[in-house]
């Protein structure tokens, strides 16, 4: 496949790093490194960062950092704020199988949010390397990344 035919790259940051105590800064740096890696290969693709489920303070803080990173790199940010009942401070039970995993409704909800991001008119020119490289770099690590081709 032609790398120029890829229109969008979606980064789904996982919960395991935060649950194992990795710092917000380290996860943000690794996410940036992945953005750089994929930008180099898919230069015309827009990038989308998906927030973590806002389970606790660590995930909420990381989501804030990912949103700032997304803004700085001109990527689209897929929020998961709707997964938390802000009145009770707990995750919405109808969206999660347990504290850490989406159920079918949660997956469909997240998929709709990603689809909305994919069809936004913003960021149609793609993510900018100039803006990506102004953040600190970090050693690349494994992450769950999905490459999605979208025909308009």
């Amino acid at each position: 496949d032609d790398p120029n035919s890829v229109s969008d790259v979606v980064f789904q940051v996982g919960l395991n790093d935060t649950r194992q105590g990795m710092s917000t800064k380290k996860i943000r740096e690794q996410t940036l490194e992945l953005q750089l890696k994929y930008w180099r290969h898919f230069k015309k693709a827009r990038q989308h960062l998906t927030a973590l489920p806002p389970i606790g303070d660590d995930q909420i803080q990381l989501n804030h950092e990912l949103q700032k990173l997304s803004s700085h790199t001109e990527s689209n940010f897929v929020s998961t704020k709707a997964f938390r009942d802000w009145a009770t401070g707990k995750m919405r039970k109808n969206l999660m199988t347990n504290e850490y995993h989406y159920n079918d409704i949660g997956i469909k909800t997240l998929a709709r949010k990603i689809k909305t991001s994919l069809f936004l008119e913003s960021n149609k020119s793609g993510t900018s390397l100039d803006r990506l490289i102004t953040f600190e770099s970090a050693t690349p690590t494994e992450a769950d990344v999905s490459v999605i081709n979208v025909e308009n």
Side-chain angles (χ1 to χ4, degrees):
D1 288 311
D2 176 18
N4 289 323
S5 69
V6 175
S7 63
D8 293 85
V9 177
V10 178
F11 297 91
Q12 175 66 49
V13 179
L15 280 172
N16 288 338
D17 290 338
T18 61
R19 290 178 57 210
Q20 295 172 359
M22 188 179 292
S23 74
T24 296
K25 180 181 178 188
K26 184 70 173 170
I27 296 169
R28 187 202 69 195
E29 289 173 349
Q30 290 177 348
T31 303
L32 172 62
E33 190 62 37
L34 281 170
Q35 284 189 282
L36 285 166
K37 176 182 174 181
Y38 279 81
W39 182 88
R40 287 181 188 112
H41 191 67
F42 303 112
K43 292 186 186 275
K44 294 187 177 192
R46 295 183 309 163
Q47 295 185 359
H48 309 262
L49 296 178
T50 302
L52 295 166
I55 292 168
D57 292 340
D58 290 343
Q59 292 78 25
I60 292 168
Q61 178 59 35
L62 179 56
N63 287 344
H64 179 70
E65 290 299 317
L66 291 174
Q67 189 170 17
K68 287 193 316 191
L69 176 63
S70 178
S71 176
H72 185 77
T73 60
E74 297 177 348
S75 304
N76 291 350
F77 183 72
V78 180
S79 176
T80 56
K81 286 182 181 180
F83 285 77
R84 187 174 181 98
D85 181 342
W86 295 96
T88 65
K90 300 193 183 287
M91 294 297 293
R92 294 184 186 277
K93 292 183 187 224
N94 66 326
L95 301 174
M96 308 292 285
T97 58
N98 57 36
E99 191 175 349
Y100 305 111
H101 299 100
Y102 299 115
N103 63 20
D104 288 344
I105 296 170
I107 291 168
K108 288 176 184 176
T109 302
L110 183 60
R112 276 194 308 272
K113 290 181 167 294
I114 292 170
K115 184 177 180 180
T116 298
S117 182
L118 291 171
F119 288 99
L120 283 174
E121 289 298 316
S122 63
N123 189 20
K124 283 293 187 187
S125 62
T127 300
S128 167
L129 177 64
D130 294 335
R131 295 187 60 93
L132 283 170
I133 61 176
T134 61
F135 265 74
E136 304 167 28
S137 292
T139 306
T141 62
E142 292 182 27
D144 297 326
V145 178
S146 298
V147 178
I148 300 174
N149 289 309
V150 175
E151 294 180 15
N152 292 328

